[in-house]
Amino acid sequence: DAGVIQSPRHEVTEMGQEVTLRCKPISGHNSLFWYRQTMMRGLELLIYFNNNVPIDDSGMPEDRFSAKMPNASFSTLKIQPSEPRDSAVYFCASSSGLAGTQYFGPGTRLTVL
Amino acid sequence: AQSVSQHNHHVILSEAASLELGCNYSYGGTVNLFWYVQYPGQHLQLLLKYFSGDPLVKGIKGFEAEFIKSKFSFNLRKPSVQWSDTAEYFCAVRGSGNTGKLIFGQGTTLQVKP
């Protein structure tokens, strides 16, 4: 079975550009989570959805970050405008219900120059 | 506030040595506990989890963990490590209510020397 799919796997962009990260959860999973991993701060939960509805976005660092889940099989995390301090690995995870086990995607390594 | 503390930041072992990685959490309620592993350049994979029942949990690749409620601990163990166990290990906790919010420790880097 396919796991969580993320694209792109690597993204290099210049400061000020818009960046869109994409995630396809495991089929049948109705909860989706976006995390950011950096050396300084470790793994941080940014936002999560249940049944396509955002439940908690308190981890989103600033208004430059936004996330959507237009349907059960697709979510985006957008950064506009991007800044060098946004450089990190962004992981998407999904689970069957909020109390289910979270399964992680391969991540998107973002570098903002 | 909820938090997870992993005491060892970097562990170096020789092959066949025994492993124990410490994990303590702070949470005022019933919890679900997890250990994830991240091999170099790869994504997080679930090693094992505890939701309820037997506090000694067995996971994949010979790993196990013991939940000790009185100590707020969930230490990871393996009797004999292999070079292929070189990776970063993350402990995580979540309140057992239907919140979904998983809190991760800072991670422990394990280096196994052949």
Side-chain angles (χ1 to χ4, degrees), chain A residues 9 33 35 37 39-43 45 48 56 58 91 98-107, chain B residues 32 34 36 38 41-44 46 49 51 88 90 94 96-102 104-106:
Chain A
R9 295 293 306 277
F33 306 79
Y35 291 86
Q37 184 180 36
M39 289 290 291
M40 290 297 295
R41 300 175 68 90
L43 270 160
L45 176 63
Y48 62 98
D56 186 344
S58 59
F91 288 104
L98 291 176
T101 299
Q102 294 179 26
Y103 294 92
F104 284 73
Chain B
N32 301 147
F34 305 82
Y36 284 87
Q38 187 176 27
Q42 297 189 27
H43 63 286
L44 279 82
L46 182 68
K49 61 186 178 184
F51 279 23
E88 190 157 15
F90 294 91
R94 178 182 69 194
S96 61
N98 212 21
T99 66
K101 196 164 186 175
L102 200 56
F104 282 87
Q106 283 294 95

Side-chain angles (χ1 to χ4, degrees), chain B:
Chain B
Q2 303 165 30
S3 65
V4 178
S5 175
Q6 293 183 237
H7 318 300
N8 317 101
H9 296 294
H10 196 165
V11 174
I12 302 174
L13 295 173
S14 298
E15 276 194 316
S18 64
L19 169 72
E20 181 160 3
L21 301 182
C23 173
N24 285 91
Y25 66 91
S26 172
Y27 186 82
T30 308
V31 295
N32 301 147
L33 295 156
F34 305 82
W35 276 98
Y36 284 87
V37 60
Q38 187 176 27
Y39 297 103
Q42 297 189 27
H43 63 286
L44 279 82
Q45 301 173 40
L46 182 68
L47 266 182
L48 48 79
K49 61 186 178 184
Y50 172 80
F51 279 23
S52 65
D54 189 344
L56 184 61
V57 180
K58 294 192 183 300
I60 61 171
K61 305 187 181 187
F63 287 91
E64 65 177 32
E66 185 175 11
F67 170 50
I68 302 179
K69 188 175 180 180
S70 61
K71 295 184 178 180
F72 298 91
S73 70
F74 191 56
N75 292 355
L76 181 71
R77 299 194 292 249
K78 186 171 184 178
S80 176
V81 295
Q82 302 172 323
W83 176 79
S84 58
D85 293 324
T86 294
E88 190 157 15
Y89 292 81
F90 294 91
C91 181
V93 65
R94 178 182 69 194
S96 61
N98 212 21
T99 66
K101 196 164 186 175
L102 200 56
I103 306 298
F104 282 87
Q106 283 294 95
T108 297
T109 300
L110 172 64
Q111 183 183 352
V112 180
K113 294 183 174 180

